[in-house]
Amino acid sequence: MSKMLLLLVLLSLLNPAVEALDNGLALKPTMGWLHWERFMCNTDCDTDPDNCISERLYMQMADMMVKDGWREAGYEYVCIDDCWPSHERDAQGRLQPDPKRFPGGIKKLADYVHSKGLKLGIYADVGEKTCAGYPGSLGYYETDAQTFADWDVDLLKFDGCNLKWTLLGDGYIKMSKALNKTGRSILYSCEWPLYEWPFQTPNYTAIRETCNHWRNFNDVFDSWISIKSILDWTASHQDIIVPSAGPGGWNDPDMLVIGNFGLSHDQQESQMALWAIMAAPLLMSNDLRDICPRSKELLQNRRIIEISQDPLGKQGYRSAKGNSFEVWERPLSKNRLAVAVLNLQEIGGPRGFAISGVAGWKKVCDPQCNVTLILPEYKEMGVQTKESKLILKVNPSGTALLTVTPISKDFGRIHWKDTD
């Protein structure tokens, strides 16, 4: 293990995360649905009424989240992204929704979403205009924050387009204070570091004090190349970003694209497993009205969600890479460990990986441990020791995900916590 990785592990296990934004929100990674990757800026409701950015789309997604078990699985936010507003503010300088696509207004939409036991998210931008060219919040931070509060919005995704990078920190901090000033609990999702990284290393202490989660890297696309690039960036910067994550504030690698078009099922499993290991917000961007049963089952897998939502709140990290495998580990509550073994090879068939190659294995399994395989299929692998010769079979571009629970010997009896 490298000195840098050893330091990262010690920081992750021993040090509390830096002080979080004190709004009582995002104590566990946010779960919900966000429109952007799947529906983008489709405003053509005349020829594509089923898929355009309109109140109808969000109402239908809210309906599906209740009907098909998403809410029960833990997904609670229905989030609007860019392209919802009119191109002009109203006479009082307030943002207003496009009247044709949102005839009932955002407050009515929020009421509908709340009636389903869900929460509504909305989008704005720190600069003069949003990324798609709609009115930005620069010069209107307090006005927009109060508008969102008046509409009973529960989450704000605040983008970073069209503002000089040296002003990003000031803008994000001002909006954070403006949201808190409203008195309404509004989860604050930032993109501050994403837009600052090209120029300098961001101040993650300040970011965590300001935001509930924050994007660091490029937008996700519906492709395996995109998923791999996000994982590579995260691993190469983990010594900087992992210590900042914890209850109240999380690194956001962007949306889950599971259930769309570009990923094989093994690759979908890899994204779900690694997002859980990274303690990432689980914000799906897909069409819940038309999703294949295997993708739905994966996104609602309670054992994976339990890893994502583990109360210890520690982000995982890449602990090893070699022979076209990557090993990612995440410390869990009750001294447990989650492990993801990713097969980067994209040719051939399943390959074997010796579990003894996992850095945390010998510690957690001394003297014994109980192992549960979660992906690619659920299987109780029983009691193991640190000397076990267990071999995991991992499909090309797939991931084996497992949890390891230490066993303590007390008066000759073996005990471990049953997580079922």
Side-chain angles (χ1 to χ4, degrees):
M1 184 181 293
S2 68
K3 291 182 179 179
M4 181 175 290
L5 180 56
L6 179 60
L7 176 60
L8 174 63
V9 174
L10 291 173
L11 285 170
S12 176
L13 293 176
L14 301 178
N15 289 356
V18 294
E19 185 176 352
L21 171 61
D22 187 20
N23 64 0
L25 300 174
L27 299 181
K28 296 179 180 180
T30 306
M31 296 178 63
W33 180 91
L34 177 64
H35 95 240
W36 184 256
E37 193 285 325
R38 179 61 185 261
F39 296 94
M40 301 185 69
C41 193
N42 180 359
T43 59
D44 186 0
C45 292
D46 291 330
T47 60
D48 195 10
D50 291 334
N51 299 297
C52 68
I53 306 310
S54 68
E55 63 184 25
R56 180 168 175 254
L57 179 69
Y58 304 101
M59 289 177 176
Q60 288 180 349
M61 293 303 164
D63 291 343
M64 297 308 299
M65 286 178 73
V66 175
K67 177 184 176 183
D68 282 358
W70 300 101
R71 183 184 64 185
E72 290 183 16
Y75 296 91
E76 62 174 339
Y77 287 88
V78 178
C79 299
I80 305 168
D81 209 287
D82 205 347
C83 305
W84 65 270
S86 296
H87 282 284
E88 303 293 336
R89 291 175 176 267
D90 69 13
Q92 288 74 44
R94 296 172 300 194
L95 291 171
Q96 53 185 343
D98 182 280
K100 182 177 180 180
R101 294 182 286 116
F102 294 85
I106 302 300
K107 177 63 169 66
K108 182 178 178 181
L109 178 58
D111 290 344
Y112 185 86
V113 170
H114 293 158
S115 75
K116 302 293 182 177
L118 300 166
K119 297 178 180 179
L120 182 69
I122 205 165
Y123 169 99
D125 192 284
V126 70
E128 293 182 3
K129 291 187 178 298
T130 72
C131 299
Y134 291 83
S137 293
L138 182 63
Y140 294 91
Y141 296 135
E142 290 198 1
T143 298
D144 290 353
Q146 189 58 55
T147 298
F148 299 146
D150 292 343
W151 288 342
D152 289 340
V153 165
D154 305 291
L155 179 152
L156 172 63
K157 175 182 175 180
F158 208 43
D159 216 333
C161 283
N162 300 305
L163 185 69
K164 187 177 180 181
W165 76 269
T166 55
L167 303 177
L168 285 169
D170 181 65
Y172 276 100
I173 290 169
K174 283 182 177 177
M175 180 54 91
S176 183
K177 291 179 178 178
L179 290 171
N180 283 343
K181 185 179 177 181
T182 69
R184 179 167 179 81
S185 294
I186 300 177
L187 193 153
Y188 189 33
S189 174
C190 301
E191 308 219 348
W192 174 358
L194 167 63
Y195 290 91
E196 191 166 321
W197 266 112
F199 304 99
Q200 67 180 21
T201 301
N203 180 348
Y204 279 91
T205 298
I207 290 167
R208 180 171 168 81
E209 291 172 346
T210 303
C211 309
N212 291 119
H213 38 83
W214 46 87
R215 285 276 309 286
N216 295 305
F217 187 58
N218 296 344
D219 287 3
V220 69
F221 279 63
D222 188 13
S223 77
W224 182 233
I225 290 174
S226 175
I227 301 300
K228 288 192 296 181
S229 71
I230 292 170
L231 294 174
D232 287 342
W233 188 95
T234 300
S236 63
H237 295 82
Q238 62 186 8
D239 58 318
I240 299 172
I241 69 172
V242 167
S244 68
W250 311 96
N251 291 294
D252 180 3
D254 211 7
M255 296 160 276
L256 295 168
V257 294
I258 296 165
N260 290 323
F261 309 98
L263 302 183
S264 70
H265 190 74
D266 285 293
Q267 292 162 358
Q268 292 184 48
E269 290 184 345
S270 291
Q271 189 189 22
M272 189 69 181
L274 271 301
W275 262 235
I277 291 286
M278 292 188 291
L282 301 182
L283 293 171
M284 308 176 288
S285 191
N286 49 23
D287 190 344
L288 300 179
R289 301 165 301 186
D290 182 21
I291 186 169
C292 80
R294 290 186 76 194
S295 296
K296 176 184 173 184
E297 182 181 9
L298 174 62
L299 286 161
Q300 294 187 4
N301 186 307
R302 66 179 180 86
R303 293 181 175 87
I304 305 175
I305 292 172
E306 284 171 0
I307 294 173
S308 163
Q309 303 291 294
D310 185 75
L312 184 63
K314 295 289 187 183
Q315 179 173 338
Y317 49 87
R318 190 177 71 188
S319 60
K321 182 178 182 179
N323 193 27
S324 294
F325 282 110
E326 287 187 356
V327 179
W328 293 67
E329 302 180 44
R330 179 179 175 183
L332 301 177
S333 57
K334 303 185 185 303
N335 297 314
R336 295 174 300 132
L337 183 69
V339 179
V341 179
L342 170 63
N343 179 2
L344 292 172
Q345 192 162 287
E346 298 179 35
I347 192 171
R351 300 168 63 221
F353 180 87
I355 197 67
S356 57
V358 175
W361 176 265
K362 292 188 182 299
K363 178 181 178 181
V364 178
C365 294
D366 186 6
Q368 292 179 312
C369 59
N370 189 61
V371 178
T372 300
L373 183 68
I374 299 172
L375 291 174
E377 62 181 356
Y378 169 69
K379 182 180 180 181
E380 289 294 345
M381 306 189 78
V383 177
Q384 306 289 334
T385 73
K386 64 180 181 179
E387 306 299 336
S388 291
K389 306 299 182 183
L390 195 62
I391 302 294
L392 300 173
K393 290 292 187 180
V394 192
N395 292 342
S397 67
T399 295
L401 178 66
L402 59 151
T403 55
V404 186
T405 302
I407 296 173
S408 61
K409 288 188 175 181
D410 181 19
F411 300 105
R413 298 181 64 186
I414 294 176
H415 300 273
W416 63 82
K417 180 174 176 57
D418 183 356
T419 57
D420 285 341

